[in-house]
Amino acid sequence: MTGFASGKGSLAPHSWSWELRSVNGKGQDIRVRVPDWVTGLEASLRKDVAAATARGNITIGLRLIREDATAALCLNQAQLEGVLAAMHQIEEQAMSEGLSLAPSTAADIVALRGVMDSAQTEDDPAPLLKALQADFKPVLKAYLEMRNNEGAALNALLQEQLSTIERLTAEAMAAAKARQAESDTAFRENVKRITENSELDEARIAQELAMLAVKADITEEIDRLGTHAQAARELLETGGPVGRKLDFLSQEFNREANTLCSKSQNAALTRIGLDLKATIDQMREQIQNVE
């Protein structure tokens, strides 16, 4: 779900720069920062991005600049009249008090704040809106291409991790079969030591062995791990927004691995279970990047 793209454009007297970025998120959260006087732009951008994505915290930023370097200056008539009236009043009062003031020049008056204004042209937002909408499309395309490239790399990594899970699952099954024979032998030896002065009840021993086998049987966990791995591969092949489903599957993977470890009763099987959990945790972290 992470991605980034930027772009620049212009339509006299405006120039602008885009920035489109996203980070992982459970849902779709689109935030738009654009000038509100360009009516309709925010809604248009939000619609385009919402249609192209399904998840992620996405931010769209637009920096819009208006070039006023060539703006003409105009005389603020009202301000000028106010300034001249004030100067006349000041001169009259100075003369009445016998004071002599230096004559003011036109340059002095023009330099006063407010006498000269920049001619402001009202912007028509319609052509600018159209230009911005068109200019955003390649930015969105570049953003999606970056996410697709990242997704392809992520898919390869997840496929590799699923292969590791399948390999460890097969090793767990082999270790479980070897453990069963060892467990049967150890159980019989322990029973023999305890009851060495009495006859062994073979039926009771068989019953106890069967109960131990049921408690330690990991066939169900092995089968589920295989089924989950196949389901994950099918999701990766279908494409589209499958992140939530993969996240759910990763939780199921973890549950089966925990159960396998609790039933291990064997160093080799415990090691395989811990390797499974480590691989599943790594896969869960990567799945957070899947849309």
Side-chain angles (χ1 to χ4, degrees):
M1 287 177 283
T2 58
F4 176 82
S6 61
K8 295 182 178 181
S10 63
L11 178 67
H14 297 94
S15 61
W16 58 79
S17 59
W18 294 103
E19 192 172 275
L20 175 58
R21 63 174 68 240
S22 67
V23 295
N24 300 337
K26 291 184 178 180
Q28 186 187 63
D29 181 17
I30 302 174
R31 302 180 182 181
V32 184
R33 295 197 295 264
V34 297
D36 55 9
W37 60 270
V38 187
T39 308
L41 179 59
E42 178 177 350
S44 174
L45 298 178
R46 191 181 296 276
K47 180 181 178 181
D48 288 345
V49 173
T53 61
R55 294 176 66 195
N57 297 325
I58 305 169
T59 302
I60 308 167
L62 170 66
R63 186 169 181 264
L64 185 62
I65 301 173
R66 192 182 194 284
E67 302 293 342
D68 290 325
T70 59
L73 294 176
C74 63
L75 185 65
N76 188 327
Q77 191 64 38
Q79 183 73 3
L80 176 61
E81 291 176 358
V83 168
L84 293 177
M87 291 177 64
H88 182 68
Q89 182 179 353
I90 292 171
E91 288 177 352
E92 285 187 346
Q93 185 171 348
M95 290 177 61
S96 66
E97 296 181 7
L99 297 176
S100 177
L101 300 178
S104 299
T105 65
D108 296 330
I109 298 173
V110 166
L112 295 175
R113 179 178 296 180
V115 174
M116 299 297 294
D117 287 337
S118 296
Q120 296 293 331
T121 304
E122 294 244 346
D123 291 318
D124 181 2
L128 180 60
L129 172 62
K130 187 175 181 180
L132 288 169
Q133 288 173 327
D135 193 61
F136 181 69
K137 293 187 184 301
V139 176
L140 179 57
K141 181 180 179 181
Y143 164 78
L144 294 174
E145 286 177 352
M146 178 181 178
R147 296 213 317 171
N148 289 337
N149 292 336
E150 181 182 346
L154 187 57
N155 178 68
L157 178 59
L158 291 174
Q159 295 283 7
E160 181 180 345
Q161 290 171 336
L162 286 171
S163 295
T164 301
I165 290 174
E166 290 170 336
R167 175 180 58 78
L168 290 171
T169 300
E171 291 179 8
M173 193 65 202
K177 290 179 179 179
R179 178 201 60 178
Q180 186 62 45
E182 295 173 359
S183 298
D184 290 353
T185 301
F187 180 77
R188 287 180 178 277
E189 290 177 352
N190 289 333
V191 171
K192 185 177 181 180
R193 281 197 298 270
I194 295 171
T195 60
E196 58 184 1
N197 296 324
S198 60
E199 294 184 2
L200 295 175
D201 185 348
E202 289 294 332
R204 181 59 183 274
I205 292 175
Q207 183 181 9
E208 292 297 326
L209 285 173
M211 292 178 62
L212 287 174
V214 170
K215 291 181 180 179
D217 184 24
I218 61 169
T219 303
E220 186 176 354
E221 287 72 29
I222 295 294
D223 289 343
R224 286 179 178 172
L225 284 168
T227 301
H228 296 336
Q230 182 60 34
R233 289 193 188 278
E234 290 175 357
L235 284 173
L236 290 173
E237 290 172 1
T238 58
V242 296
R244 289 183 181 276
K245 293 180 180 179
L246 285 172
D247 190 38
F248 172 77
L249 269 179
S250 69
Q251 296 176 39
E252 295 300 307
F253 272 117
N254 195 55
R255 183 177 294 108
E256 303 305 333
N258 283 333
T259 306
L260 188 149
C261 285
S262 67
K263 291 183 176 181
S264 64
Q265 302 176 358
N266 176 274
L269 194 53
T270 298
R271 177 189 59 76
I272 294 171
L274 293 176
D275 288 345
L276 265 172
K277 284 176 59 65
T279 303
I280 291 167
D281 285 342
Q282 293 170 2
M283 186 174 69
R284 289 185 69 180
E285 290 180 4
Q286 296 301 329
I287 285 173
Q288 303 309 310
N289 296 311
V290 179
E291 185 173 79

